[in-house]
Amino acid sequence: MKTSALAAGSLVLPWESALSAIQSQMAGKGRLQLRYRAYTLQLKHAFTLSTSSRTTTPVVLTELEYNGVIGYGEASMPPYLGESHESVLKFLSKVDLSRFDDPFQMENILAYVDGIEEANKAAKASVDIALHDLVGKLIKQPWYKIWGFDPAKTPNTSFTIGIDTPEVIRQKVREADPYRMLKVKLGRDTDKLLINNIREITDKPICVDVNQGWTDKQMALDMAHWLKEKGIVFIEQPMPKEKLDDNAWLTQHSPLPTMGDEAVQRLDDVLKAYQVYSGINIKLMKSTGMREAHKMLVLARSLKMKVMIGCMTETSCAVTAAAHLAPMADWADLDGALLISNDVYKGMQVVNGKVTLTDRPGIGIQKI
């Protein structure tokens, strides 16, 4: 690309000039074609939270083609999202992208997809991710470069350990040896026992995810002080998301940062979370994809909130897409593909515990 230049008194960035040229060349020369199929992820261990346990996760894999170039996307549906194979396939059957002859009109395309029906966030994310992958490939640049992020600034990713027996917990901690931070699921009456079991094995930094499992604010504060003594870094979604006042009170008094997860789905929720939590956990399956996740990131940073980039149990497709936001995050929890045994893509790698992006264009994945 050429160096940036002043034109008509305004600064034109290099990638904007390249994008304009490519867009002019391709406009009207093709149609967007959407394909999709159901798939089921097999988890290496039972994934147990404060309120549920499962060994599989339903996903839908999407492909978006334009002039022979294919972008890949994914919808992952953990139970609390309220989506399923059936609901996602039904939604995607209503998406008619043949009306668009210019994939670079991303705002128009994704606004159309968002307006088809309410909810269906993971289904919408599967189109959004595929479109970002496609456009990045057409520009021949990865999205972290298009956004202007420095890939060297990605954080370490945590490795998630669900609620389980002491023996299985120890096994999971040993499996997590390459990772520099652990994420531990809490929210039951065995919380202290679980943390003590892990601390017998490792002194690595730990973050905890309560998944709304604590119901009393004073008990939550007492736990926060105890967890601080155990070397915990932050607490994710400590109490039910409906308890705004209790969560705000805990955040005000807690010695540890609190992060909103279930309480923070889309862009409008960021302002609602301000001063209720110390920060937010952004996930593509909640935000409807990369477009809105990027907006959430920018808004949270402008409010000086902490930011975590997270994921569901997903293939390397959605996890890698989320990783492009990681250079601007305080923490990352991008281990979703590491928890499954039947990934179908290769993408973002974890090197010495650190989220490591490639320079492949789009979201940067390859089929296995």
Side-chain angles (χ1 to χ4, degrees):
M1 291 186 181
K2 297 180 180 178
T3 57
S4 57
L6 288 172
S10 61
L11 182 63
V12 179
L13 298 176
W15 71 266
E16 290 177 327
S17 298
L19 173 57
S20 178
I22 295 170
Q23 187 173 8
S24 297
Q25 292 171 7
M26 302 194 71
K29 295 185 178 180
R31 288 290 187 273
L32 290 165
Q33 302 174 29
L34 178 65
R35 298 184 292 269
Y36 44 87
R37 67 182 178 96
Y39 190 65
T40 299
L41 302 182
Q42 304 295 326
L43 306 184
K44 294 177 181 177
H45 294 285
F47 195 69
T48 302
L49 315 179
S50 61
T51 57
S52 65
S53 182
R54 67 181 191 276
T55 57
T56 62
T57 300
V59 301
V60 172
L61 305 177
T62 57
E63 294 183 359
L64 189 56
E65 184 171 353
Y66 182 84
N67 282 352
V69 180
I70 299 175
Y72 298 104
E74 176 181 3
S76 173
M77 295 84 73
Y80 87 88
L81 283 183
E83 296 181 66
S84 64
H85 276 151
E86 182 180 8
S87 69
V88 171
L89 295 174
K90 181 179 178 181
F91 178 85
L92 293 177
S93 72
K94 300 178 181 180
V95 179
D96 179 15
L97 298 181
S98 64
R99 66 182 68 188
F100 298 101
D101 62 4
D102 183 358
F104 295 96
Q105 296 295 325
M106 300 179 73
E107 286 290 327
N108 289 340
I109 294 169
L110 295 175
Y112 155 72
V113 173
D114 196 18
I116 293 174
E117 285 184 3
E118 293 292 326
N120 297 289
K121 294 185 288 290
K124 293 172 182 178
S126 72
V127 181
D128 171 286
I129 295 168
L131 182 60
H132 278 80
D133 192 31
L134 173 65
V135 169
K137 287 174 177 175
L138 294 174
I139 301 173
K140 295 181 171 56
Q141 293 293 331
W143 270 96
Y144 67 82
K145 285 189 178 180
I146 296 171
W147 282 329
F149 298 161
D150 181 356
K153 293 184 177 180
T154 55
N156 295 325
T157 182
S158 55
F159 184 89
T160 303
I161 297 176
I163 299 170
D164 219 313
T165 63
E167 293 77 16
V168 175
I169 290 295
R170 292 188 181 94
Q171 179 186 347
K172 291 179 179 180
V173 172
R174 286 191 291 269
E175 290 176 4
D177 186 62
Y179 305 95
R180 298 181 182 180
M181 187 172 184
L182 302 178
K183 177 176 178 176
V184 179
K185 297 289 188 177
L186 299 183
R188 296 187 177 180
D189 57 6
T190 56
D191 287 352
K192 288 188 176 181
L193 176 63
L194 196 158
I195 294 296
N196 282 331
N197 284 336
I198 294 174
R199 278 290 174 246
E200 290 175 1
I201 305 170
T202 180
D203 59 358
K204 288 181 181 179
I206 296 173
C207 58
V208 298
D209 186 0
V210 187
N211 289 116
Q212 309 182 81
W214 297 340
T215 56
D216 179 79
K217 67 179 185 181
Q218 185 59 56
M219 171 269 184
L221 180 60
D222 292 343
M223 279 296 298
H225 282 285
W226 184 84
L227 291 169
K228 172 73 172 178
E229 295 175 359
K230 294 294 180 177
I232 277 48
V233 179
F234 64 83
I235 304 170
E236 189 177 342
Q237 199 60 59
M239 290 183 287
K241 61 183 182 180
E242 297 83 8
K243 293 193 171 187
L244 294 179
D245 291 342
D246 285 356
N247 278 298
W249 180 88
L250 177 62
T251 297
Q252 180 181 356
H253 294 90
S254 174
L256 296 173
T258 62
M259 303 293 289
D261 181 10
E262 287 90 342
V264 185
Q265 305 280 320
R266 301 195 59 177
L267 183 62
D268 289 346
D269 296 322
V270 178
L271 284 176
K272 297 174 186 176
Y274 179 58
Q275 295 185 332
V276 176
Y277 304 96
S278 309
I280 62 172
N281 186 355
I282 300 172
K283 297 178 181 177
L284 302 190
M285 296 303 127
K286 298 186 302 179
S287 70
T288 71
M290 298 171 70
R291 165 179 170 263
E292 192 154 321
H294 180 259
K295 294 178 180 180
M296 293 172 71
L297 172 68
V298 172
L299 177 56
R301 281 305 188 199
S302 73
L303 296 170
K304 301 191 183 308
M305 299 178 74
K306 296 289 187 182
V307 171
M308 179 181 185
I309 302 299
C311 64
M312 310 298 183
T313 44
E314 303 165 350
T315 74
S316 288
C317 176
V319 171
T320 303
H324 287 264
L325 296 161
M328 295 296 291
D330 298 284
W331 301 293
D333 179 36
L334 295 175
D335 64 343
L338 303 173
L339 305 178
I340 65 174
S341 60
N342 58 336
D343 201 351
V344 290
Y345 301 102
K346 179 181 179 182
M348 179 274 292
Q349 299 293 301
V350 178
V351 180
N352 295 323
K354 180 181 172 65
V355 173
T356 306
L357 292 158
T358 73
D359 60 358
R360 289 192 293 266
I363 62 173
I365 63 169
Q366 298 173 318
K367 278 189 171 182
I368 295 177

